[in-house]
Amino acid sequence: SAVISQKPSRDICQRGTSLTIQCQVDSQVTMMFWYRQQPGQSLTLIATANQGSEATYESGFVIDKFPISRPNLTFSTLTVSNMSPEDSSIYLCSVVSSSTDTQYFGPGTRLTVL
Amino acid sequence: GENVEQHPSTLSVQEGDSAVIKCTYSDSASNYFPWYKQELGKRPQLIIDIRSNVGEKKDQRIAVTLNKTAKHFSLHITETQPEDSAVYFCAASAGGFKTIFGAGTRLFVKA
């Protein structure tokens, strides 16, 4: 399975500021995704991070609010911009292992916006 | 787009009993159905998955069944143990791993 790390693991931020979350994988992966999990809720796909091109966003999520970078096949960042308390959530990076053809999740970043 | 419904939202069983969680999906193109277990404060962990060319898959105490015609799939846990207590998510993907998750089932196993 792929080993996924995320930084930071948690943060408390002031409204109006931005936070960039990093996701690092120990092997090259083609498919990388960003999910959000609000307290007590399920996982919602934010976007697919595409290497070498713009991310593909799901309905309800826009690039201005959640800019994503994918400079190579092992790394991606998600920025939560102009944060409000409603952005308080856990943000999870996810990858598909080409060797097992299964999807794995990073440990998550717990964001609290005051 | 794909929609995945999951029932029940909460399930309480006695240790040793079986637990069944059911899901339905809307996109007939869905061909991959994973199940994840999430313990409090931890990431979702894949526990079993099934692909559309198979009707049933078993791994020790865990089994999953798929009815493509009815667009139903279910998770069965036998001989439940307290450590099975967690939130379980079903999910469906129509390829490309754009995985859509159900709302989750909180399973309590009482000792």
Side-chain angles (χ1 to χ4, degrees):
Chain A
S1 64
V3 177
I4 309 168
S5 60
Q6 282 184 236
K7 286 196 291 188
S9 58
R10 59 178 63 226
D11 207 343
I12 301 173
C13 302
Q14 296 297 320
R15 71 169 68 212
T17 63
S18 298
L19 176 72
T20 295
I21 302 167
Q22 298 179 8
C23 176
Q24 180 75 53
V25 191
D26 69 338
S27 58
Q28 292 188 339
V29 292
T30 304
M31 287 183 276
M32 187 178 280
F33 308 91
W34 286 98
Y35 282 81
R36 180 174 74 183
Q37 186 174 29
Q38 295 179 306
Q41 302 296 313
S42 184
L43 292 90
T44 301
L45 179 62
I46 297 172
T48 303
N50 301 309
Q51 195 265 331
S53 64
E54 253 186 32
T56 306
Y57 290 84
E58 297 302 305
S59 175
F61 298 96
V62 295
I63 188 171
D64 290 347
K65 176 67 176 177
F66 297 102
I68 288 171
S69 79
R70 179 92 191 268
N72 56 53
L73 293 177
T74 63
F75 185 79
S76 177
T77 67
L78 169 75
T79 299
V80 186
S81 303
N82 188 24
M83 289 183 285
S84 67
E86 293 70 39
D87 294 320
S88 297
S89 190
I90 297 173
Y91 293 85
L92 298 115
C93 170
S94 176
V95 304
V96 175
S97 168
S98 54
S99 59
T100 61
D101 204 24
T102 51
Q103 187 170 8
Y104 300 96
F105 286 86
T109 296
R110 184 180 295 272
L111 170 63
T112 302
V113 184
L114 302 177
Chain B
E2 174 71 278
N3 183 50
V4 177
E5 294 194 359
Q6 183 171 348
H7 301 280
S9 57
T10 305
L11 179 59
S12 185
V13 300
Q14 204 66 38
E15 182 179 2
D17 287 350
S18 294
V20 180
I21 302 170
K22 299 182 178 181
C23 290
T24 60
Y25 61 98
S26 61
D27 188 350
S28 56
S30 293
N31 56 11
Y32 177 64
F33 307 90
W35 286 86
Y36 288 85
K37 175 183 179 181
Q38 188 174 33
E39 297 175 351
L40 189 63
K42 298 190 176 180
R43 77 185 80 186
Q45 296 275 12
L46 179 72
I47 56 171
I48 195 167
D49 58 9
I50 191 167
R51 299 182 192 271
S52 58
N53 58 346
V54 175
E56 185 173 355
K57 184 176 178 180
K58 191 172 181 181
D59 182 3
Q60 300 183 341
R61 296 185 298 108
I62 295 173
V64 58
T65 58
L66 171 65
N67 182 330
K68 282 187 63 181
T69 303
K71 297 184 192 168
H72 289 173
F73 58 116
S74 300
L75 177 72
H76 304 251
I77 306 174
T78 58
E79 300 171 29
T80 53
Q81 302 166 2
E83 49 266 37
D84 294 330
S85 296
V87 179
Y88 291 81
F89 293 101
C90 65
S93 171
F97 284 93
K98 250 181 67 169
T99 308
I100 306 301
F101 284 77
T105 296
R106 190 173 298 276
L107 174 65
F108 297 95
V109 180
K110 295 176 286 187

